[in-house]
Amino acid sequence: KQEVTQIPAALSVPEGENLVLNCSFTDSAIYNLQWFRQDPGKGLTSLLLIQSSQREQTSGRLNASLDKSSGRSTLYIAASQPGDSATYLCAVRSARRQLTFGSGTQLTVLP
Amino acid sequence: DGGITQSPKYLFRKEGQNVTLSCEQNLNHDAMYWYRQDPGQGLRLIYYSQIVNDFQKGDIAEGYSVSREKKESFPLTVTSAQKNPTAFYLCASSITDANTGELFFGEGSRLTVL
């Protein structure tokens, strides 16, 4: 059974800092991995989708990497801003064709 | 604008009552999903549908029911058999249920049982 872990559960950084969020998964037989952002009381917003054949995807200040063999993905946020404060979730689509979600990392960017 | 609309945003229910949460999408997506989110936990799949008039149970289907009579609509009924229904419910869709499909979410419905 696929398990997805996100560490740390919470992270606080000063504005302007570059930061990395981690996502690990136990079964490397995945089809894709998706990163989401969730603001309090809101739904999930898709940030980046990485197919299993890809190593990374970029969108603006965000860069996500995928290493299937080690069961890891990272989300890199450059020049963080207070507006980046949210919970970031990763989700893995594996052999059962359904997504398994991590519990998320709650990010606070301090002005 | 294309998107997924969930209603109501907030819902209160007395114990023993059934409630239905609405999910409508105008993205022309074939696949639709219902997830439940509890504090400190990842999302858990309740039901999903790959095509009209067809749906499958997810990991926590007990106490829930769904229908898929139209491509655009995938309502979720929380029945009185659901032992702990207070949660945040999220509806999602993808263009197909193919392995490479990107998932898009609605804004969620928060259900509180009094």
Side-chain angles (χ1 to χ4, degrees), chain A residues 31-32 34 36 38 41-49 51 89 93-103, chain B residues 9 33 35 37 40-43 45 48 50 59 88 90 94 97-107 110:
Chain A
Y31 291 100
N32 61 44
Q34 195 167 353
F36 297 89
Q38 185 175 31
K42 301 289 188 180
L44 278 66
T45 301
S46 179
L47 297 174
L48 290 164
L49 172 70
Q51 304 296 346
L89 297 103
R93 189 185 290 261
S94 53
R96 285 186 61 226
R97 304 171 69 191
Q98 302 307 323
L99 285 175
T100 303
F101 284 81
S103 298
Chain B
K9 188 172 177 62
Y33 311 80
Y35 288 89
Q37 186 176 35
Q41 297 189 32
L43 277 69
L45 181 66
Y48 66 100
Q50 300 176 35
D59 298 322
F88 190 49
L90 289 157
S94 62
D97 193 43
N99 296 331
T100 56
E102 185 175 5
L103 210 62
F104 296 91
F105 281 84
E107 286 293 292
R110 184 168 298 281

Side-chain angles (χ1 to χ4, degrees), chain B residues 1-54:
Chain B
D1 282 16
I4 302 172
T5 301
Q6 290 187 239
S7 63
K9 188 172 177 62
Y10 299 97
L11 185 61
F12 297 89
R13 185 193 96 177
K14 293 182 180 179
E15 284 192 18
Q17 290 181 334
N18 294 352
V19 294
T20 297
L21 307 180
S22 171
C23 178
E24 303 278 332
Q25 55 98 0
N26 60 5
L27 300 169
N28 200 32
H29 285 175
D30 289 313
M32 296 186 73
Y33 311 80
W34 274 104
Y35 288 89
R36 169 181 172 140
Q37 186 176 35
D38 294 282
Q41 297 189 32
L43 277 69
R44 292 182 290 170
L45 181 66
I46 305 173
Y47 267 98
Y48 66 100
S49 168
Q50 300 176 35
I51 197 168
V52 175
N53 293 322
D54 183 62

